[in-house]
Amino acid sequence: MDGDGRKDYLTARSNAQAGQGELVWLHHPAGGLNTLPWAETVVTKGPDVMFDVIPGSSDSIIIFASEFFNHKLTVYEVSTKTGTLIRSRLIDDTLDQVYSVKYVNLSGKYQLLVNNHETTSSMAGVFLYDVPSDIFNGAYPKKTIANGFRNAFSLLIPNMCPGFPYAIKPHTSLPYHILIAGDGDYSAHLLRPDGQGGFKRELVNYLGGTVGSIATYDFDGDGYLEFFVPNYDNSYIEVYQFYDGPIVPGPSHLDNPVFLN
């Protein structure tokens, strides 16, 4: 953050109250990782759950924040010389409980991949926002790319969905797809590009328990991703792999990868 050659930590913290989230800079001590305490700077109020960081100017960073308890999607510019807030902007306050945000380039333009996290299933979705060249003044057109998630019934604690979306390439030669951890809908989902700028959602599997996250890696080096889907409630992980699908009309059978668990 401050150019001293030591990597610092930037994090968000919250007491689960609206307006109380803080973006916090933890300074890496000169004495190294084991030196305590780490000096702390509160950069700004606002961020409370997830955020993504990209370079700004030569001495700043841009932070896109999903503010869950504030019900906002926001963007901040922070000085890497002083750790102070330069400017900020509201992008959207209509998504309710904004859960995650990722700065992505899926098809030649930069976008924000965003989801909310809802007990009311009709509100739950995954969204893409086009990022303007003028981040703090331009428009952010929004597209809903997945909805129709349905929370599983829970007697004690209401479920919430969807969970995190992940932009992935099933094979190195393929365009981006999006995996979704359904979280409270107890499922994993895949969004395939439909060739018209949108996506078609497919059910990977209904696990019968909370699917809070997904991890991916090409373990065998064949160019196809494997992905790991946890069932939090029943304490196991299912492993899936993409592989060549059946040959279909078109330039390549790789256009139709399938997955196997």
Side-chain angles (χ1 to χ4, degrees):
M1 281 286 288
D2 52 10
D4 64 2
R6 298 186 298 273
K7 288 191 175 182
D8 303 317
Y9 287 131
L10 193 64
T11 188
R13 68 182 175 199
S14 173
N15 61 3
Q17 300 297 315
Q20 298 300 305
E22 294 178 332
L23 184 69
V24 179
W25 170 22
L26 297 173
H27 304 248
H28 190 148
L33 291 172
N34 293 327
T35 305
L36 297 175
W38 287 41
E40 173 184 303
T41 297
V42 176
V43 177
T44 183
K45 290 278 190 180
D48 56 17
V49 182
M50 307 296 176
F51 58 85
D52 203 5
V53 180
I54 65 171
S57 65
S58 59
D59 56 3
S60 73
I61 54 175
I62 303 296
I63 298 166
F64 295 101
S66 52
E67 301 185 16
F68 180 86
F69 299 103
N70 289 339
H71 297 189
K72 296 177 181 179
L73 178 65
T74 52
V75 59
Y76 298 84
E77 185 174 15
V78 175
S79 168
T80 53
K81 288 185 175 180
T82 63
T84 56
L85 179 67
I86 298 173
R87 53 183 170 169
S88 64
R89 178 193 172 176
L90 172 68
I91 296 174
D92 195 353
D93 61 357
T94 67
L95 296 185
D96 196 40
Q97 297 175 142
V98 192
Y99 198 38
S100 74
V101 56
K102 285 291 184 182
Y103 183 76
V104 297
N105 186 343
L106 303 181
S107 57
K109 64 180 178 181
Y110 288 104
Q111 296 174 297
L112 301 179
L113 176 61
V114 177
N115 73 295
N116 59 11
H117 195 55
E118 304 293 329
T119 55
T120 302
S121 298
S122 61
M123 299 175 64
V126 180
F127 315 90
L128 280 174
Y129 292 78
D130 292 342
V131 177
S133 56
D134 187 344
I135 288 175
F136 287 91
N137 295 289
Y140 284 78
K142 179 183 76 172
K143 177 187 291 186
T144 301
I145 59 172
N147 54 17
F149 300 96
R150 293 289 180 264
N151 278 304
F153 174 75
S154 177
L155 183 63
L156 299 177
I157 301 174
N159 279 313
M160 303 176 75
C161 70
F164 302 125
Y166 305 84
I168 57 102
K169 287 190 172 187
H171 186 272
T172 52
S173 67
L174 288 174
Y176 279 100
H177 293 46
I178 297 173
L179 282 169
I180 302 172
D183 207 298
D185 78 351
Y186 292 177
S187 300
H189 308 268
L190 178 70
L191 301 186
R192 294 183 188 267
D194 63 7
Q196 301 175 344
F199 293 87
K200 179 182 178 181
R201 179 158 63 96
E202 298 178 5
L203 177 67
V204 174
N205 200 8
Y206 174 81
L207 277 75
T210 304
V211 178
S213 65
I214 295 175
T216 62
Y217 193 75
D218 179 8
F219 279 92
D220 53 12
D222 65 352
Y224 287 96
L225 279 184
E226 287 77 45
F227 56 102
F228 295 73
V229 181
N231 184 324
Y232 285 10
D233 297 314
N234 296 306
S235 301
Y236 66 83
I237 297 173
E238 292 188 345
V239 184
Y240 299 78
Q241 62 182 140
F242 289 101
Y243 67 101
D244 282 5
I247 296 175
V248 295
S252 171
H253 57 291
L254 292 180
D255 292 336
N256 189 39
V258 293
F259 40 81
L260 174 71
N261 70 315

